């Protein structure tokens, strides 16, 4: 379970914040628990790929932005309810989500989902696969023949593999890769699953103007190569545009 | 798919019988009621079993606490302090950690499943709360009844089992009813903290959470859980009321203590 | 809530990898993130301090309504008490905050923007006029935080107010009839009897139930993170989770066990202190009262 949160977090203001208060602030909602996309750094601030990208997008769109964290479970209900204006939380663009909210164009290529296990030889079709509750990976495993075991947080899914509760964990490759790189007992399997689309910024369907601004900003970062530079810095395993 | 088909497919889904895949789109109210109701079976499972086992443990703990022997009353006091003084949420988390360690050492692998592990935590938790209730009741047994038992020549075990214990149960019953209700409410925490759900078999809150996530609307699924629990609470109150009537059947009608749902104990 | 930002307390903390164990620990425990944890203890205590009297107020209102002679308010009072108490508190926590927020914004919208023509519900979106937003989107972050804290207090108060109403309802019934009749004999009106006799006398009967309620309230605080308040459980999970060297200067394994053990100790100590204080309060209140507690 990932639960509701409205965001009480004081999560630091973006660099371009000292501008005059002529324009109201755009509140950027994120989860803050999904490195390298977004996480809370040692200082207690939102950090990661989406923080850096979002600040740059706001600068290009000449918007004043502030970051707030919200639990994953209620991140969409709180957006449509107006508690913040955008979602940048490693959220893949899916048809179901697209029915409820709008997405900008994707700012990452579709990220494959990878399996991480204690050895190469685990049986991912008949074994026990851990996934975070209410993720596209959990939905995928539920449909495959494997036995799904769901945990509330990504942290717990990794712990389940380490302590033998699950044979493997299925999650976004860019989330698993840094963990596997530092822990020699964990390996990424060769088999990958293409489940979600690319990651995009979520907005309310009635916020067409804001969506156009961010779309233009993303396009300009794609055009001048700065987006690829950010992807290379934070998501080395992900394909550039 | 008609509502009857939905019920056939999903009514027993929480114990693994019926349709393997949960509904993915076009969610109907019928699906939500059926699956959440299906999950309610686990809430009842945890509630009934934890209450049954906890009842015996609580009686033992209450006696130990009332005992003058420090080897008995000290551990009982600590047990009650730890389980009454900390949130169930944290107890679940720590227990799952400990159960994992035990499993890794090669013993008792079934402890990490919610069916066994969470049941043990709930049982210990309710035992601690009930022990405090029973202990209070033991101390308020009227002296006159004990003296009457003495006058009949009863001593020791027979005095306890035939006079003191039945009276203390009568005194404790209203508060114990509340404890039972709160225990059932507490079962919603099982899959919410600590214990993982296997193959999407969870309790009522688990399925409500699933629907709230898929429909992006918290205002339908959670109130359904609420409705189910109101019904469950009513059922518990009437069952405990029947037992209460039986416990007090020797009293004239107007003297029988009425059961009142008072929030004396919770976690 | 507000961590101390980018500063480190100790000057030697710039390169933690090179430090000895003690110095490392002193740096680790003073990161901005840990300040968030320490701050959250204060948040929880402040929330308890504000929620307790607010819930009592709700409870008093509920109890008075449930005793009322008007059918509608009696029905409302009893409905509030029995429905809220029949449902696990966690269920309310799952959707109340959004409901309260939307309710307040809707009401403000009706008052502040009577000329607004667009519908509030646009498909899935809930849109009120900018002036009705709570807090205003131009408001600084701390206003948003205070507002989040306020909705959490309100949710807790509504839920625990029902429990308090039940206790107070029982306590009002328990005040001996003779005391009330004495009031009437002195020529007091119903209202005077209520405020001058019933209310002062009921507390001694209510206190045991209210003490229990306070204990219950303490033990419900681990669910605060559901209400959007970054409480101690949120930070314990965040800090205890394993950290890789790529994203933190203080990489470590899964330390959640230690953080949760810390929380366990906090709650045990807090419960113990509360018990002792309530015991003293009970003894003072029972002085001069015709109850068993006073004769002991």
């Amino acid at each position: 379970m990932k639960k509701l949160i409205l965001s009480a977090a004081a999560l630091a203001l973006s660099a371009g914040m000292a501008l005059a208060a002529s324009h109201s602030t755009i509140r950027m909602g994120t989860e803050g628990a999904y490195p390298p996309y977004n996480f809370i750094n040692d200082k207690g601030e939102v950090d990661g790929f989406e923080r850096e990208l979002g600040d740059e997008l706001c600068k290009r769109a000449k918007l004043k932005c502030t970051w707030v964290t919200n639990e994953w479970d209620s991140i969409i209900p709180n957006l449509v309810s107006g508690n913040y204006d955008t979602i940048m939380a490693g959220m893949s663009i899916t048809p179901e989500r697209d029915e409820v909210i709008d997405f900008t164009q994707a700012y990452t290529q579709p990220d494959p989902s990878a399996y991480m296990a204690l050895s190469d030889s685990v049986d991912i079709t008949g074994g026990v696969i851990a996934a975070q509750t209410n993720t596209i990976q959990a939905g995928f495993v539920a449909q495959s023949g494997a036995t799904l075991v769901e945990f509330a947080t990504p942290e717990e899914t990794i712990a389940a593999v380490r302590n033998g509760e699950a044979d493997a964990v299925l999650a976004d490759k860019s989330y698993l890769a840094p963990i596997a790189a530092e822990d020699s007992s964990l390996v990424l399997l060769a088999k990958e699953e293409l489940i979600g689309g690319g990651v995009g910024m979520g907005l309310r369907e009635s916020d067409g103007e804001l969506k156009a601004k961010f779309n233009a900003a993303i396009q300009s970062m794609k055009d001048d190569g700065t987006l690829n530079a950010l992807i290379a810095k934070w998501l080395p395993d992900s394909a550039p545009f | 798919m008609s509502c009857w088909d939905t019920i056939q497919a999903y009514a027993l889904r929480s114990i693994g019988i019926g349709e393997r895949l949960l509904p993915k789109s076009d969610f109907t109210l019928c699906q939500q009621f059926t699956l959440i109701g299906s999950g309610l079976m686990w809430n009842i499972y945890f509630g009934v079993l934890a209450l049954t086992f906890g009842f015996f443990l609580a009686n033992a703990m209450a006696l130990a606490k009332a005992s003058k022997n420090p080897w008995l009353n000290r551990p009982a006091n600590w047990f009650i302090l730890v389980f009454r003084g900390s949130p169930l949420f944290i107890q679940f988390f720590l227990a799952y950690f400990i159960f994992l360690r035990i499993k890794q050492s090669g013993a008792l692998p079934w402890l990490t499943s919610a069916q066994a592990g969470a049941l043990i935590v709930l049982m210990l938790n309710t035992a601690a709360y009930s022990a405090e209730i029973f202990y209070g009741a033991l101390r308020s047994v009227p002296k006159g009844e004990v003296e009457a038992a003495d006058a009949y020549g009863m001593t020791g075990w027979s005095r306890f089992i035939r006079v003191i214990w039945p009276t203390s149960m009568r005194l404790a019953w209203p508060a114990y009813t509340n404890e039972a209700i709160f225990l059932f409410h507490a079962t919603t925490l099982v899959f919410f903290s600590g214990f993982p759900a296997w193959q999407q078999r969870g309790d009522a809150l688990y399925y409500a959470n699933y629907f709230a996530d898929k429909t992006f609307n918290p205002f339908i699924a959670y109130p359904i859980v609420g409705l189910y629990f109101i019904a469950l609470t009513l059922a518990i109150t009437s069952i405990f009321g029947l037992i209460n009537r039986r416990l007090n059947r020797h009293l004239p009608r107007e003297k029988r203590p009425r059961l009142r749902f008072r929030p004396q104990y919770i976690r | 809530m507000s961590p101390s930002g980018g500063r480190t307390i100790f000057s030697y903390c710039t390169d933690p990898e090179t430090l000895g164990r003690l110095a490392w620990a002193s740096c680790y425990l003073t990161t901005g993130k840990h300040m968030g944890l320490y701050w959250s203890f204060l948040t929880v205590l402040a929330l308890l301090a504000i929620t307790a009297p607010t819930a009592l107020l709700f409870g008093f209102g509920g109890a008075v309504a449930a005793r009322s002679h008007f059918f509608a308010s009696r029905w409302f009072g009893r409905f509030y008490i029995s429905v809220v108490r029949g449902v696990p508190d966690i269920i309310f926590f799952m959707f109340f905050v959004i409901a309260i927020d939307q309710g307040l914004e809707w009401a403000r919208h009706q008052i502040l923007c009577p000329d607004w023509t667009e519908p509030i519900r646009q498909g899935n979106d809930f849109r009120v006029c900018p002036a009705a937003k709570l807090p205003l989107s131009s408001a600084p972050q701390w206003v948003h935080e205070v507002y989040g804290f306020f909705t959490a207090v309100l949710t807790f108060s509504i839920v625990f107010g029902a429990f308090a109403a039940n206790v107070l309802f029982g306590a009002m019934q328990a005040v001996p009839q003779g005391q009330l009749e004495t009031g009437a004999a002195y020529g007091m009106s119903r209202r005077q009897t209520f405020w001058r006799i019933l209310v002062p006398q009921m507390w001694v009967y209510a206190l045991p139930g209210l003490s229990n309620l306070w204990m219950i309230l303490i033990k419900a605080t681990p669910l605060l993170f559901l209400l959007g308040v970054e409480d101690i459980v949120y930070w314990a999970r965040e800090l205890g989770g394993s950290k890789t060297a790529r994203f933190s200067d203080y990489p470590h394994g899964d330390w959640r066990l230690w953080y949760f053990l810390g929380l366990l100790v906090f709650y045990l100590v807090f419960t113990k202190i509360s018990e002792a204080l309530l015991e003293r309060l009970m003894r003072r209140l029972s002085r001069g009262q015709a109850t068993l507690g006073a004769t002991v």
Side-chain angles (χ1 to χ4, degrees):
Chain A
M1 126 233 84
K2 312 223 42 215
K3 346 50 234 173
L4 300 209
I5 268 209
L6 251 185
S7 119
L11 290 166
L13 312 173
S14 80
M17 274 281 306
L19 296 166
S22 60
H23 205 288
S24 68
T25 311
I26 301 297
R27 293 165 59 76
M28 315 274 278
T30 190
E31 188 197 5
Y34 204 60
Y37 285 97
N38 57 77
F39 58 95
I40 311 287
N41 65 16
D42 291 333
K43 295 173 196 154
E45 296 161 351
V46 173
D47 203 341
F49 169 67
E50 286 170 323
R51 171 72 201 266
E52 209 173 323
L53 173 67
D55 284 350
E56 178 64 24
L57 291 176
C58 288
K59 214 164 96 192
R60 291 190 183 210
K62 300 200 170 51
L63 295 166
K64 200 167 70 162
C65 296
T66 179
W67 289 86
V68 292
T69 53
N70 192 92
E71 290 285 330
W72 177 254
D73 259 5
S74 64
I75 206 161
I76 289 180
N78 274 301
L79 174 78
V80 296
S81 175
N83 292 319
Y84 36 80
D85 307 300
T86 69
I87 296 174
M88 288 186 86
M91 185 179 276
S92 299
I93 303 171
T94 64
E96 296 85 38
R97 289 173 181 148
D98 215 2
E99 268 177 35
V100 183
I101 58 175
D102 261 3
F103 283 99
T104 60
Q105 57 173 312
Y107 52 73
T108 70
Q109 295 283 16
D111 187 18
S113 298
Y115 293 96
M116 189 166 73
L118 291 173
S119 84
D120 279 326
S121 56
V122 299
D123 173 17
I124 49 173
T125 47
V128 177
I129 308 291
Q132 189 183 1
T133 312
N134 291 338
T135 54
I136 47 176
Q137 286 85 9
F140 177 85
V141 180
Q143 257 167 330
S144 80
T147 303
L148 168 68
V149 52
E150 289 169 289
F151 291 87
T153 57
E155 173 77 32
E156 286 166 288
T157 61
I158 311 287
V161 174
R162 284 209 177 99
N163 61 39
E165 280 291 272
D167 297 323
V169 49
L170 181 66
D172 287 344
K173 191 180 178 191
S174 45
Y175 171 73
L176 295 178
I179 299 168
E182 285 195 21
D183 187 338
S184 55
S185 64
L186 296 169
V187 287
L188 286 177
L189 306 188
K191 184 167 170 56
E192 294 178 351
E193 315 284 355
L194 254 185
I195 307 171
V199 172
M201 178 193 282
L203 300 126
R204 277 184 294 275
E205 287 181 322
S206 50
D207 264 348
E209 198 188 329
L210 195 62
K211 179 180 162 184
K213 279 185 189 171
F214 276 116
N215 257 334
I218 294 171
Q219 194 55 49
S220 84
M221 285 186 75
K222 278 184 180 170
D223 293 342
D224 66 11
T226 42
L227 181 58
N228 280 343
L230 275 184
I231 290 173
K233 175 184 172 189
W234 288 102
L235 312 167
D237 298 297
S238 197
F241 281 98
Chain B
M1 203 174 182
S2 77
C3 191
W4 178 239
D5 292 335
T6 305
I7 292 174
Q8 284 184 322
Y10 291 117
L12 297 175
R13 176 62 179 79
S14 67
I15 51 172
I17 299 173
E19 199 71 27
R20 190 171 66 89
L21 297 177
L22 298 184
K24 284 256 176 302
S25 56
D26 306 319
F27 304 97
T28 62
L29 264 183
C30 179
Q31 285 172 341
Q32 305 204 23
F33 267 102
T34 309
L35 263 172
I36 293 172
S38 165
L40 199 68
M41 287 196 288
W42 281 116
N43 297 98
I44 295 171
Y45 162 89
F46 286 123
V48 169
L49 289 187
L51 210 58
T52 315
F53 296 133
F55 179 78
F56 294 102
L57 186 58
N59 271 296
M61 282 294 158
L63 284 180
K65 189 178 161 124
S67 151
K68 289 192 180 66
N69 183 347
W71 288 98
L72 286 175
N73 70 37
R74 288 242 179 89
N77 278 327
W78 272 102
F79 172 81
I80 293 172
L81 171 71
V82 168
F83 279 96
R84 281 183 83 228
S86 65
L88 184 62
F89 188 89
I90 288 173
Q91 291 168 19
F92 271 135
F93 181 90
L94 293 175
Y96 185 66
F97 240 96
I98 294 166
F99 291 158
L100 268 179
R101 288 289 138 83
I102 297 175
K103 183 181 180 177
Q104 278 165 341
S105 72
L108 312 173
W110 40 266
L111 273 176
T112 55
S113 71
Q115 286 88 314
L119 182 61
I120 290 173
V121 179
L122 282 168
M123 180 194 79
L124 295 177
N125 187 284
T126 185
Y129 280 86
S130 316
E132 191 67 28
I133 299 173
F134 294 160
Y135 170 75
L138 271 182
R139 297 212 316 169
S140 22
V141 170
K143 265 217 161 66
E145 294 194 16
V146 184
E147 282 161 5
D150 288 340
Y152 274 99
M154 291 186 196
T155 49
W157 180 246
S158 88
R159 185 180 72 172
F160 174 76
I161 206 71
R162 296 175 68 175
V163 178
I164 300 179
W165 189 74
T167 302
S168 74
M169 280 303 115
R170 264 171 222 132
L171 292 171
W173 207 253
Y176 188 59
T177 307
N178 292 321
E179 164 55 23
I181 290 164
F182 289 121
L183 176 69
F184 274 88
H185 288 187
T187 58
T188 50
L189 278 175
V190 169
F191 292 103
F192 200 78
S193 58
F195 289 83
W198 288 77
Q199 293 181 315
Q200 301 185 308
R201 298 174 194 174
D203 75 329
L205 185 58
Y206 171 87
Y207 288 114
N209 197 241
Y210 176 85
F211 283 114
D213 178 71
K214 289 284 180 280
T215 58
F216 307 102
N217 180 358
F219 296 120
I220 295 174
Y222 295 125
I224 292 177
V225 185
L227 284 180
Y228 273 121
F229 265 94
I230 288 173
L232 190 59
T233 305
L234 285 176
I236 299 164
T237 325
S238 33
I239 292 171
F240 273 71
L242 285 178
I243 300 176
N244 190 47
R245 260 189 31 210
R246 188 170 162 77
L247 281 176
N248 290 297
R249 65 192 183 279
H250 60 291
L251 294 178
R253 188 166 294 273
E254 61 274 14
K255 272 202 175 164
R256 287 178 194 166
R258 293 274 306 278
L259 265 194
R260 269 179 311 181
F261 177 20
R262 294 259 294 274
Q264 298 285 349
Y265 301 92
I266 198 187
R267 47 203 51 87
Chain C
M1 291 189 186
S2 309
S4 69
R7 295 179 304 277
T8 48
I9 305 263
F10 303 112
S11 52
Y12 52 81
C13 290
T14 44
D15 196 5
E17 264 175 69
T18 59
L19 296 172
R21 286 183 79 164
L22 199 66
W24 189 90
S26 72
C27 290
Y28 174 69
L29 291 174
T30 53
T31 55
K33 227 175 175 178
H34 274 85
M35 293 301 155
L37 172 69
Y38 307 141
W39 184 254
S40 69
F41 277 98
L42 293 181
T43 311
V44 168
L45 293 180
L47 181 121
L48 283 171
I50 300 172
T51 303
T54 319
L56 202 56
L57 208 66
F58 276 58
F60 190 75
V64 170
R67 280 169 55 90
S68 161
H69 291 274
F70 295 107
F71 172 77
S73 78
R74 190 171 63 234
W75 186 85
F76 171 80
R78 299 204 166 159
F79 181 81
Y80 168 58
I81 293 177
S82 47
V83 166
V84 175
R85 281 170 49 250
V87 175
D89 50 4
I90 189 171
I91 303 295
F92 289 111
F93 296 164
M94 300 302 279
F95 68 95
F96 251 39
V97 166
I98 296 184
I100 290 175
D101 181 52
Q102 291 193 352
L104 289 176
E105 288 189 349
W106 182 85
R108 274 167 63 92
H109 180 90
Q110 302 299 326
I111 298 164
L112 296 175
C113 310
D115 309 326
W116 195 261
T117 50
E118 286 178 49
I120 292 183
R121 287 238 163 252
Q122 297 180 18
N124 303 298
D125 297 359
F126 180 86
R127 283 188 82 94
V128 292
C129 65
K133 283 225 70 83
L134 262 182
L136 296 174
S137 57
S138 58
Q141 179 60 24
W142 68 267
V143 177
H144 285 271
E145 281 170 33
V146 170
Y147 178 70
F149 183 81
F150 163 77
T151 48
V153 166
L154 197 60
T155 308
F156 258 65
S157 301
I158 291 172
V159 171
F160 286 92
F163 290 90
N166 196 48
V167 172
L168 294 179
F169 184 80
M172 288 177 186
Q173 306 285 61
V175 173
Q177 200 61 33
Q179 297 189 0
L180 303 180
E181 282 163 6
T182 313
Y186 272 95
M188 289 187 193
S189 68
R190 280 182 66 97
R191 176 178 292 256
Q192 282 172 323
T193 330
F194 178 77
W195 285 109
R196 295 190 191 172
I197 296 178
L198 187 67
V199 172
Q201 289 298 104
M202 76 177 180
W203 293 111
V204 68
Y205 301 100
L207 196 68
L210 291 179
S211 323
N212 273 309
L213 203 51
W214 169 251
M215 301 292 179
I216 296 164
L217 188 61
I218 295 174
K219 277 166 248 159
T221 50
L223 297 178
L224 260 178
F225 70 97
L226 291 176
L227 303 175
V229 175
E230 294 194 335
D231 69 333
I232 45 187
V233 172
Y234 171 88
W235 284 112
R237 266 200 193 155
E238 173 62 40
L239 287 161
S242 50
K243 298 280 173 289
T244 55
R246 242 187 90 187
F247 306 123
S248 170
D249 290 337
Y250 305 92
H252 60 75
D254 189 348
W255 285 1
R256 287 176 303 162
L257 177 63
W258 308 114
Y259 282 91
F260 274 83
L261 279 177
L263 294 191
L264 181 75
V265 172
F266 168 75
Y267 278 109
L268 288 181
V269 170
F270 196 30
T271 312
K272 214 56 192 153
I273 294 174
S274 298
E275 254 176 14
L277 290 179
L278 288 167
E279 179 74 19
R280 280 176 67 175
L281 184 66
M282 185 66 200
R283 249 182 277 140
R284 276 190 53 181
L285 265 186
S286 338
R287 224 173 271 162
Q289 288 282 357
T291 62
L292 276 179
T295 55
V296 175

